[in-house]
Amino acid sequence: MTVRGHWFLSPRTEYTVAVQTASKQMDGDYAVSEWSEIIEFCTADYSKVHLTQLMEKAEAIAGRMLKFSVFYRNQHKEYFDYTQKHHGNVMQPSPKDNSGSHGSPISAKLEGVFFSCNTEFNTGKPPQDSPYGRYRVEIPAEKLFNPNTNLYFGDFYCMYTAYHYVIVVIAPVGSPGDEFCKQRLPQLSLNDNKFLTCTEEDGSLVFHHAQDVILEVIYTDPVDLSWGSVAEIIGHQLMSLSTADAKKDPSCKTCNISVGR
């Protein structure tokens, strides 16, 4: 008698497997074999097919588009002082943390500078509060997002709350970051997608972001602080809203997909 089975494996996970068999004898007893040789393997990251499934789920809840004009990055004063002193006023890319989907191909691999772009509905401006620090650099959107850049979908997740996050990646055309993303992530049209758009109106670039998800934007090249301005926020520092190394809720039906057998 042969019993077959299957296991649902998680992406980007190390597994150790050994097999033992049992054969039923004529007298009703079972002859049990020795354990087989141990096999160790690691499953792969999400493929573009899996990420496209995630993207379609994110599109379903993204909501209408709101206009914005700046990308912003919140940090502590010490971060900006260090950048000015040791990096010639240029924010350097760093590896993305392990927040978001466990199988995301960008976690701990893609390097970039993290930005936000969501605005307050009633003011059209960045929120007064910050999860990451009391100082904020604001960069005009056209400096980072324009026809000389490509846009990619990176991830969709939540952290056991009603808020859902979408990660998008902006990469200058032909840059190392662009080549990395082109091989691993679904590419988005700059002017026609559900998350972040750049369109031309009357000779000027106009920018919109999705209203009903929190966008996390990764720009894959260094960013000069002189492109924008740094100032202290007037709101509160809300560390509880930080997504640093946040784990995705695996039970959420809105932002999880079934990765085959």
Side-chain angles (χ1 to χ4, degrees):
M1 180 178 67
T2 302
V3 178
R4 298 183 183 276
H6 61 260
W7 295 265
F8 290 97
L9 304 181
S10 298
R12 195 186 273 200
T13 303
E14 294 182 353
Y15 288 90
T16 301
V17 178
V19 178
Q20 189 178 47
T21 62
S23 301
K24 190 173 183 180
Q25 307 299 299
M26 295 294 293
D27 59 5
D29 289 338
Y30 285 85
V32 180
S33 71
E34 298 292 330
W35 284 102
S36 69
E37 178 183 354
I38 294 176
I39 299 174
E40 296 181 350
F41 63 94
C42 183
T43 50
D45 296 336
Y46 279 160
S47 67
K48 281 187 179 181
V49 172
H50 299 133
L51 289 171
T52 299
Q53 293 174 9
L54 266 184
M55 181 178 70
E56 291 170 350
K57 280 179 162 281
E59 289 173 341
I61 70 161
R64 70 188 185 98
M65 303 293 280
L66 299 179
K67 186 178 290 187
F68 76 101
S69 60
V70 298
F71 291 102
Y72 56 94
R73 176 174 171 83
N74 300 304
Q75 276 287 354
H76 300 284
K77 184 176 185 297
E78 291 76 14
Y79 168 83
F80 294 110
D81 290 343
Y82 187 90
T83 298
Q84 291 171 340
K85 182 176 180 180
H86 297 282
H87 293 299
N89 216 41
V90 177
M91 294 184 287
Q92 298 297 321
S94 59
K96 182 196 170 296
D97 65 12
N98 286 308
S99 61
S101 299
H102 187 62
S104 171
I106 62 177
S107 292
K109 293 182 179 179
L110 177 67
E111 293 193 353
V113 183
F114 171 90
F115 287 94
S116 300
C117 66
N118 287 80
T119 55
E120 292 185 325
F121 177 76
N122 57 337
T123 66
K125 297 180 180 180
Q128 297 180 355
D129 300 327
S130 161
Y132 300 106
R134 291 201 55 80
Y135 283 76
R136 172 181 295 165
V137 58
E138 294 187 1
I139 306 287
E142 62 270 18
K143 292 285 189 180
L144 304 182
F145 190 33
N146 54 62
N148 295 317
T149 58
N150 283 325
L151 181 68
Y152 298 90
F153 173 84
D155 201 4
F156 177 43
Y157 71 101
C158 70
M159 304 181 298
Y160 302 90
T161 68
Y163 299 110
H164 277 86
Y165 297 80
V166 169
I167 298 176
V168 294
V169 182
I170 300 174
V173 173
S175 66
D178 189 33
E179 294 303 316
F180 177 96
C181 293
K182 193 174 297 184
Q183 297 174 29
R184 298 168 176 83
L185 306 179
Q187 187 169 350
L188 301 172
S189 166
L190 297 188
N191 57 22
D192 185 19
N193 70 80
K194 299 290 187 180
F195 311 114
L196 186 72
T197 61
C198 168
T199 57
E200 187 172 339
E201 297 180 13
D202 299 323
S204 299
L205 296 179
V206 179
F207 306 91
H208 291 83
H209 70 80
Q211 174 185 355
D212 294 340
V213 293
I214 299 174
L215 282 178
E216 298 182 320
V217 181
I218 299 174
Y219 185 78
T220 62
D221 269 16
V223 178
D224 198 317
L225 288 173
S226 67
W227 294 355
S229 59
V230 179
E232 187 173 6
I233 63 171
I234 60 176
H236 301 285
Q237 184 175 339
L238 305 176
M239 298 301 291
S240 61
L241 297 180
S242 171
T243 62
D245 287 315
K247 301 305 179 184
K248 180 175 181 174
D249 178 1
S251 65
C252 177
K253 295 181 179 179
T254 300
C255 62
N256 280 286
I257 59 173
S258 296
V259 180
R261 298 176 181 177

